[in-house]
Amino acid sequence: MAVVLAFTCTVLRFDAAVFAAAMLASKIGCITRPTVTTFFATVTSSAVVAMVIDAYYWQQKWMWAELNVFAFNVVQGRSSEWGVSPPRFYFTHFIPRLLLGAFPFACIGMLVDSRSARLSMACFAAVGVFSANAHKEWRFILPAVPIFNMYAGIGVSKLYQIARFRQLVALAATLAAALSLVITATMTLISSYNYPGGHALALLHAIEPSSNVSVHIDTFSAMTGVCRFGQLRADWVYDKSEGLDLDQFGNFTHLLTSDPKPHSKRGFEIIGTQHGYSGIRLDFKQLLAGQLPISVRQKPLVWVMHRVHHGGSKTGSACFTCDLPV
């Protein structure tokens, strides 16, 4: 276990160290000297391996990606640049949404089962540490979900042992599981509309046959689906530089941008528009037509732009608009 925790924290997810520290603290009486030695030896060897691999792929000496992430988010406190939430947000928003139907049973399980109090306290301590950071994301507390689900199972088991409530508990647990499955499937479908940047890059690949292409990808596009796996053309240049002056965009033949207006005035034209998620529409009249009363609203989020060549000549004059299927 010590080896797995050390490797995970060092190479995969540095923030997992918060949960690892909380769990180890809850079992501090069981920790032996060989365990400590193994843990730090694994951390050291994993760090060396991570720096060798990260330095190669990032083309930087002494590059340790997870340490840089920790320094940026925690030491420099710059994670707040990506949004802030109140301290209670994990407990009042993210945990109920992650657990769904299991949430009330998990609360009951933690109240009635005192044998695993150390585990629950360690879990809450870790979530509390993350709550101190102004920037919050549900993925940071994912390690707590299996523990809360375990408590949900304990809660169902304890309630089921009460004979007069047995049938009611069985029905409630079944409905909670079914409802959670439906909500999860629905949210998964909705989340597929959150990647207009990736779809915009695919659209550019589809409409641009030229090999002499240098495309700039703005921050919004990069955050909504553009990744290395989508950069299919070895003969293209993909650039994600930030903080460029408007004049510097003239060095690119194409743009993926969430704000086309300033570029339209500087020699670029729109050749494609990618829509994405903008909300939910409820229309119960659709039930009369045998359709679901809920649908996804979309709006233009990413524009594909092409630079008009000097002398007024241009390529790709057609404009493509792409909606995701609803």
Side-chain angles (χ1 to χ4, degrees):
M1 179 61 72
V3 172
V4 174
L5 284 175
F7 178 82
T8 301
C9 299
T10 308
V11 179
L12 304 179
R13 296 290 308 180
F14 209 97
D15 48 50
V18 176
F19 280 96
M23 296 303 171
L24 290 174
S26 68
K27 296 290 184 180
I28 192 148
C30 303
I31 298 177
T32 61
R33 184 183 295 273
T35 301
V36 175
T37 303
T38 302
F39 181 84
F40 283 104
T42 305
V43 168
T44 303
S45 57
S46 298
V48 171
V49 172
M51 283 190 286
V52 171
I53 296 175
D54 291 342
Y56 172 78
Y57 283 105
W58 288 91
Q59 293 298 298
Q60 296 181 29
K61 291 183 178 181
W62 307 109
M63 176 63 179
W64 183 1
E66 285 303 306
L67 183 62
N68 283 16
V69 170
F70 176 78
F72 180 91
N73 290 328
V74 180
V75 178
Q76 300 175 24
R78 296 181 60 187
S79 60
S80 58
E81 296 177 9
W82 305 99
V84 297
S85 302
R88 56 176 171 77
F89 212 65
Y90 281 122
F91 296 99
T92 60
H93 187 77
F94 283 137
I95 291 178
R97 286 185 61 183
L98 287 170
L99 297 183
L100 296 175
F103 180 71
F105 295 110
C107 294
I108 294 173
M110 285 184 283
L111 290 174
V112 301
D113 188 85
S114 59
R115 296 171 300 173
S116 52
R118 286 186 178 181
L119 188 59
S120 63
M121 292 302 295
C123 195
F124 279 117
V127 176
V129 170
F130 284 113
S131 297
N133 188 10
H135 178 67
K136 297 172 178 62
E137 295 183 33
W138 60 268
R139 60 191 178 96
F140 294 157
I141 62 169
L142 280 180
V145 174
I147 298 173
F148 287 132
N149 281 331
M150 178 199 72
Y151 277 110
I154 293 174
V156 172
S157 177
K158 293 292 186 180
L159 291 173
Y160 193 77
Q161 293 175 16
I162 304 175
R164 58 179 176 173
F165 293 145
R166 186 163 296 172
Q167 292 184 347
L168 180 61
V169 171
L171 177 62
T174 302
L175 290 176
L179 181 62
S180 297
L181 181 61
V182 171
I183 294 175
T184 300
T186 303
M187 296 303 293
T188 300
L189 174 63
I190 293 173
S191 69
S192 66
Y193 294 87
N194 285 330
Y195 303 97
H199 290 289
L201 183 59
L203 177 62
L204 176 59
H205 285 143
I207 64 179
E208 179 55 73
S210 175
S211 59
N212 186 24
V213 170
S214 59
V215 53
H216 181 267
I217 301 159
D218 74 351
T219 302
F220 179 80
S221 301
M223 291 174 59
T224 56
V226 175
C227 64
R228 293 293 181 89
F229 296 107
Q231 298 176 9
L232 304 179
R233 297 288 296 267
D235 54 344
W236 285 17
V237 175
Y238 302 89
D239 191 290
K240 298 181 182 179
S241 298
E242 300 181 38
L244 299 181
D245 295 329
L246 284 175
D247 292 336
Q248 293 179 284
F249 288 99
N251 298 323
F252 302 98
T253 61
H254 294 77
L255 306 177
L256 295 187
T257 178
S258 58
D259 185 12
K261 290 183 179 180
H263 303 295
S264 297
K265 301 175 182 178
R266 293 178 175 269
F268 284 89
E269 63 174 358
I270 297 173
I271 60 172
T273 304
Q274 180 62 54
H275 289 63
Y277 176 80
S278 67
I280 298 296
R281 181 190 300 112
L282 291 176
D283 185 2
F284 292 100
K285 293 181 180 180
Q286 294 185 15
L287 290 173
L288 300 177
Q291 300 178 353
L292 293 175
I294 185 173
S295 58
V296 178
R297 292 201 308 264
Q298 299 185 63
K299 66 178 181 181
L301 291 176
V302 178
W303 285 262
V304 183
M305 306 191 75
H306 178 269
R307 179 164 53 83
V308 179
H309 295 292
H310 295 294
S313 63
K314 59 184 180 181
T315 60
S317 58
C319 182
F320 296 82
T321 300
C322 186
D323 286 325
L324 296 177
V326 178

